[in-house]
């Protein structure tokens, strides 16, 4: 694959390391562990000032003079790899960004310092490299556009998926809804933002209208009532409307409850 296409196709997923403890975090805990006197002596002795960068990295201009990242990766035969790559301690992205232009996989840059992650992200944006999420969002957008076009053209079978999804929605089969969507992972994440409990995957409502105002739940109740009374659904709806009208009148015809 030509290098220019590799740059466009590569995706960068920046993950700040959360398991390790940086020097600054350790410095803040030393007085708590050893006591203020011993802790203060250690901090002074080793020059652990809270204003010093955790990694001890020099500024970016000086750092750039230390390495020829492109030449080093060439010597290491790091060219057009079809694999994912992880760099521990990405710093300013000196090697991370160059590596992203030489692989068709995903490049993960890890660092203890949020500032280093931000610096690498900035470098990637300036060179037009894409984030993993950007690539995924673009693919999903294309899938939606293609599906809409198939529907508009009357493509045979194009609406089968939509019909199956609508039926799953009406029957509150949440897992089927997720799996039938064009982006199951995101669909599940949206649902779980407000209803993360496992029992919510079988509940007959969602967080939009709740259990008392869901139109599909009400429709189910109407059909159940009609079947129990041996009447048509239209008659059940009319009977229900008349009952609610009587209740409204008996309670004073007030739109809002008081007290």
């Amino acid at each position: 694959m030509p290098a220019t296409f590799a740059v466009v196709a590569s995706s960068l997923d920046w993950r700040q390391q959360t398991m390790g403890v940086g020097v600054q975090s350790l410095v803040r805990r030393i007085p708590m562990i050893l006591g203020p006197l011993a802790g203060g002596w250690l901090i002074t002795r080793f020059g652990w000032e809270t204003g010093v960068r955790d990694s001890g990295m020099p500024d970016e201009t000086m750092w750039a003079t230390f390495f020829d990242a492109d030449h080093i990766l060439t010597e290491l035969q790091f060219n057009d790899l079809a694999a994912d790559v992880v760099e521990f301690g990405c710093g300013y992205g000196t090697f991370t960004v160059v590596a992203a232009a030489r692989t068709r996989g995903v490049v993960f840059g890890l660092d203890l310092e949020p500032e280093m992650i931000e610096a690498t992200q900035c470098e990637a944006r300036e060179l037009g490299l894409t984030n993993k999420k950007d690539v995924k969002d673009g693919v999903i957008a294309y899938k939606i556009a293609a599906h809409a076009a198939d529907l508009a053209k009357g493509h045979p079978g194009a609406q089968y998926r939509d019909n199956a999804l609508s039926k799953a929605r009406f029957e509150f089969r949440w897992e089927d809804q997720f799996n039938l969507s064009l982006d199951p992972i995101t669909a599940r994440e949206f649902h779980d933002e407000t209803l993360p409990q496992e029992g919510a995957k079988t509940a007959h409502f969602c967080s939009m209208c709740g259990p008392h105002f869901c139109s599909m739940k009400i429709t189910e109740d109407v059909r159940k009532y009609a079947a129990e009374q041996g009447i048509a659904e239209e008659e059940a709806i009319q009977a229900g409307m008349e009952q609610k009208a009587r209740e409204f009148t008996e309670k004073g015809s007030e739109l809002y409850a008081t007290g």
Side-chain angles (χ1 to χ4, degrees), residues 24 31 71 82 139 148 168 186 205 231 236 240:
Q24 294 298 329
H71 175 72
V139 171
T186 302
F205 63 89
I231 58 177

Tab-separated table of all heavy atoms in Angstrom, residues 24 31 71 82 139 148 168 186 205 231 236 240:
chain	number	residue	atom	x	y	z
A	24	GLN	N	4.326	12.663	39.958
A	24	GLN	CA	3.589	13.697	40.679
A	24	GLN	C	2.597	13.080	41.661
A	24	GLN	O	2.454	13.551	42.781
A	24	GLN	CB	2.845	14.602	39.687
A	24	GLN	CG	3.774	15.424	38.795
A	24	GLN	CD	4.635	16.362	39.609
A	24	GLN	OE1	4.208	16.817	40.664
A	24	GLN	NE2	5.840	16.634	39.144
A	31	PRO	N	4.439	12.317	51.752
A	31	PRO	CA	4.268	12.820	53.115
A	31	PRO	C	3.198	12.057	53.890
A	31	PRO	O	3.299	11.929	55.114
A	31	PRO	CB	3.844	14.284	52.891
A	31	PRO	CG	4.372	14.631	51.547
A	31	PRO	CD	4.234	13.369	50.757
A	71	HIS	N	14.077	7.938	9.962
A	71	HIS	CA	15.264	7.131	9.641
A	71	HIS	C	15.353	5.911	10.551
A	71	HIS	O	15.644	4.796	10.091
A	71	HIS	CB	16.528	7.982	9.788
A	71	HIS	CG	17.790	7.209	9.587
A	71	HIS	ND1	18.208	6.759	8.346
A	71	HIS	CD2	18.732	6.761	10.491
A	71	HIS	CE1	19.348	6.093	8.478
A	71	HIS	NE2	19.681	6.070	9.769
A	82	ALA	N	0.934	-4.665	8.520
A	82	ALA	CA	-0.495	-4.977	8.615
A	82	ALA	C	-0.782	-5.464	10.026
A	82	ALA	O	-1.239	-6.589	10.251
A	82	ALA	CB	-0.884	-6.017	7.578
A	139	VAL	N	-17.619	5.195	8.614
A	139	VAL	CA	-18.158	3.943	8.061
A	139	VAL	C	-19.657	3.838	8.332
A	139	VAL	O	-20.441	3.469	7.444
A	139	VAL	CB	-17.414	2.734	8.663
A	139	VAL	CG1	-18.110	1.430	8.282
A	139	VAL	CG2	-15.971	2.706	8.191
A	148	ALA	N	-30.299	4.129	3.028
A	148	ALA	CA	-31.333	5.076	2.613
A	148	ALA	C	-31.502	5.057	1.093
A	148	ALA	O	-32.628	5.111	0.577
A	148	ALA	CB	-30.975	6.481	3.096
A	168	ALA	N	-39.170	-5.696	16.565
A	168	ALA	CA	-38.427	-5.921	17.814
A	168	ALA	C	-38.650	-4.767	18.779
A	168	ALA	O	-38.768	-4.974	19.990
A	168	ALA	CB	-36.940	-6.084	17.512
A	186	THR	N	-22.908	1.130	19.501
A	186	THR	CA	-23.370	2.464	19.904
A	186	THR	C	-24.812	2.424	20.374
A	186	THR	O	-25.182	3.111	21.330
A	186	THR	CB	-23.222	3.453	18.735
A	186	THR	OG1	-21.846	3.494	18.325
A	186	THR	CG2	-23.663	4.847	19.140
A	205	PHE	N	-40.395	-0.709	28.511
A	205	PHE	CA	-40.339	0.749	28.400
A	205	PHE	C	-38.869	1.142	28.249
A	205	PHE	O	-37.967	0.328	28.461
A	205	PHE	CB	-40.939	1.427	29.642
A	205	PHE	CG	-40.188	1.141	30.912
A	205	PHE	CD1	-39.133	1.943	31.313
A	205	PHE	CD2	-40.530	0.058	31.707
A	205	PHE	CE1	-38.432	1.677	32.479
A	205	PHE	CE2	-39.833	-0.215	32.878
A	205	PHE	CZ	-38.788	0.597	33.263
A	231	ILE	N	-64.005	-7.603	22.562
A	231	ILE	CA	-64.434	-6.512	21.685
A	231	ILE	C	-63.286	-6.133	20.751
A	231	ILE	O	-62.136	-6.547	20.948
A	231	ILE	CB	-64.876	-5.278	22.504
A	231	ILE	CG1	-63.719	-4.794	23.401
A	231	ILE	CG2	-66.098	-5.608	23.355
A	231	ILE	CD1	-64.045	-3.540	24.196
A	236	ALA	N	-62.411	-0.822	22.245
A	236	ALA	CA	-61.677	-0.729	23.508
A	236	ALA	C	-61.105	0.675	23.698
A	236	ALA	O	-61.142	1.239	24.797
A	236	ALA	CB	-60.561	-1.761	23.535
A	240	GLY	N	-62.184	3.260	26.597
A	240	GLY	CA	-61.162	3.838	27.467
A	240	GLY	C	-61.209	5.353	27.475
A	240	GLY	O	-61.050	5.987	28.535
